[in-house]
Amino acid sequence: MSKLNIRGIGHYIPDTLISNDELSRIMDTSDEWITKRTGIKTRYVSSNDDTSILAFEAAKRALEDANITIEEIDLVICATITPDDFTPSVACKLLKYFKTDKIMALDINAACSGFVYALNVASSLLEANGFKYALVVGAEKLSKLLDYNDRSTAILFGDGAGACVVSADENNAYFYCKAKGDTNDVLYASGVKGSKPLNNSCCEDYYLKMNGREVYRFAVDALDDAITSILNKSQMTIEDIDYIVPHQANIRIIDQVAKQMNIPYEKVLTNLNKFGNTSAASIPLLLSEAYNENKIKKGDNVLLAGFGAGLTWASAIIKM
Ligand code: ACO
């Protein structure tokens, strides 16, 4: 068992809203197809700012909500698959923007499971190092990885960021984080391929590629396993959980798992109709939005569950 307290929470939505109708003007798709197959109606993209700025905006809001200054933070973790650069990390860029130093800072790449992985790592590092507070961020600018000639992938994703200030004291928390190799390459975005020494290399095709049907099958199994396993680990049942905050990929994935696990639909939160799939940002974005709307309240037991590229899947039960 671990410890985790959410001390503050915030999110940031980038400036540009893109509707399904707008997408249908640049590719062979329609609002009807996208809505029916995914549940997504709109997504937001950032026209100028890169991932670290989205992360910074969410981080500022979480610190403000916690009433804690950056100087009180001992650890910064950013979950992302769309960092601005190979190096420095987004977490280090946050330190630059906050004009602070002497804080442990690192990024985590576990795709759409990244924020849950990051909370697990934060909980462990806080305890192991005797640290007081961590700033944990999930931030993505997925729009820079999208191939707008690939209609089955480009319609799904959006940009955004969410952040929490956490401590590892009073409340019990449970984590379950798993991964396996992507044997059939069903979901990936290539990096710069190694060239021969003394030759310049350049990334040619780094767009996100996905075998939608294979990913769908994996996602349903992974989400079911993530929820089942964390309930078993915590010796809780679905009745003990106030809300489930699943990764926002496709409403059909969420509906199917809720149905097969007999989870009351009112317990399952979604906002993918507005934001699409924001990968590592999707869980903190939904958690923060639901908290700000007074849906999730202090003291609620919340089950977080993610799945994504890697392949990874992860869950947590935390008390708000
Ligand atoms: N508009 C119109 N038609 C489309 C579109 C589109 N945007 N995209 C695909 N189609 C067509 C296909 O070409 C195909 O046509 P065909 O029958 O003539 O060949 C038809 O629609 C059906 O295609 P499918 O791929 O079978 O459609 P499906 O119902 O599986 O939906 C989707 C596709 C939405 C991608 C679905 O498979 C899915 O959501 N998969 C999971 C994706 C996911 O969750 N990814 C994120 C993982 S998280 C992470 O880590 C990044």
Side-chain angles (χ1 to χ4, degrees):
M1 193 204 308
S2 310
K3 294 278 181 190
L4 194 84
N5 281 64
I6 305 286
R7 299 291 177 188
I9 186 160
H11 65 274
Y12 178 71
I13 300 160
D15 50 13
T16 307
L17 182 145
I18 299 185
S19 66
N20 292 343
D21 284 335
E22 275 173 277
L23 287 179
S24 68
R25 273 180 232 128
I26 59 159
M27 64 179 79
D28 184 14
T29 190
S30 65
D31 176 47
E32 191 196 353
W33 193 95
I34 301 172
T35 306
K36 191 162 164 235
R37 300 288 179 120
T38 71
I40 298 165
K41 297 291 284 181
T42 57
R43 71 287 293 142
Y44 289 80
V45 299
S46 171
S47 38
N48 294 311
D49 296 329
D50 212 339
T51 301
S52 64
I53 297 292
L54 310 186
F56 183 49
E57 291 301 329
K60 283 192 286 190
R61 288 162 169 77
L63 285 166
E64 198 180 309
D65 184 52
N67 201 17
I68 284 171
T69 64
I70 191 69
E71 286 71 34
E72 295 172 83
I73 298 287
D74 303 299
L75 167 68
V76 176
I77 304 183
C78 183
T80 186
I81 55 167
T82 50
D84 307 8
D85 309 299
F86 287 132
T87 193
S89 64
V90 172
C92 281
K93 283 188 132 174
L94 289 177
L95 303 196
K96 176 170 141 182
Y97 301 152
F98 278 117
K99 298 188 175 54
T100 190
D101 61 5
K102 294 197 174 162
I103 297 176
M104 184 175 181
L106 69 151
D107 284 0
I108 283 185
N109 177 338
C112 311
S113 313
F115 188 76
V116 181
Y117 267 66
L119 284 182
N120 191 352
V121 171
S123 166
S124 305
L125 285 177
L126 286 170
E127 208 172 348
N129 291 286
F131 290 161
K132 193 154 186 206
Y133 296 120
L135 175 63
V136 183
V137 187
E140 302 285 10
K141 181 170 171 149
L142 285 156
S143 56
K144 67 185 175 183
L145 284 191
L146 296 182
D147 176 358
Y148 287 96
N149 294 314
D150 176 3
R151 63 178 179 172
S152 61
T153 303
I155 53 145
L156 297 172
F157 297 94
D159 304 339
C164 288
V165 173
V166 300
S167 60
D169 30 32
E170 296 150 41
N171 295 335
N172 293 337
Y174 302 87
F175 294 101
Y176 174 78
C177 293
K178 297 289 166 194
K180 65 177 181 179
D182 185 358
T183 318
N184 297 320
D185 296 333
V186 296
L187 186 53
Y188 65 93
S190 295
V192 177
K193 295 295 174 213
S195 67
K196 292 188 184 77
L198 308 182
N199 277 294
N200 287 339
S201 65
C202 186
C203 35
E204 276 172 15
D205 184 4
Y206 54 83
Y207 292 129
L208 191 65
K209 300 211 177 39
M210 185 182 73
N211 177 333
R213 282 187 193 181
E214 287 294 319
V215 174
Y216 190 100
R217 268 194 283 276
F218 157 72
V220 169
D221 290 346
L223 185 56
D224 188 316
D225 180 57
I227 296 172
T228 306
S229 300
I230 200 68
L231 288 173
N232 289 341
K233 190 170 181 182
S234 62
Q235 297 188 313
M236 289 180 173
T237 67
I238 210 71
E239 283 72 45
D240 301 313
I241 302 297
D242 296 292
Y243 289 106
I244 296 183
V245 175
H247 168 51
Q248 303 292 293
N250 184 325
I251 198 67
R252 286 159 53 212
I253 295 169
I254 295 171
D255 283 351
Q256 189 173 331
V257 171
K259 194 168 167 209
Q260 74 195 26
M261 296 187 73
N262 281 323
I263 299 172
Y265 206 72
E266 332 58 271
K267 290 198 177 200
V268 185
L269 300 182
T270 63
N271 63 4
L272 62 82
N273 59 325
K274 287 188 281 184
F275 302 117
N277 181 344
T278 57
S279 194
S282 97
I283 289 176
L285 184 55
L286 177 55
L287 191 66
S288 173
E289 191 187 46
Y291 190 71
N292 282 320
E293 286 171 355
N294 241 347
K295 200 174 275 174
I296 293 181
K297 298 190 179 59
K298 270 255 161 287
D300 280 353
N301 285 323
V302 179
L303 193 160
L304 315 176
F307 52 86
L311 300 166
T312 59
W313 64 110
S315 49
I317 294 176
I318 58 172
K319 196 176 265 302
M320 290 298 289

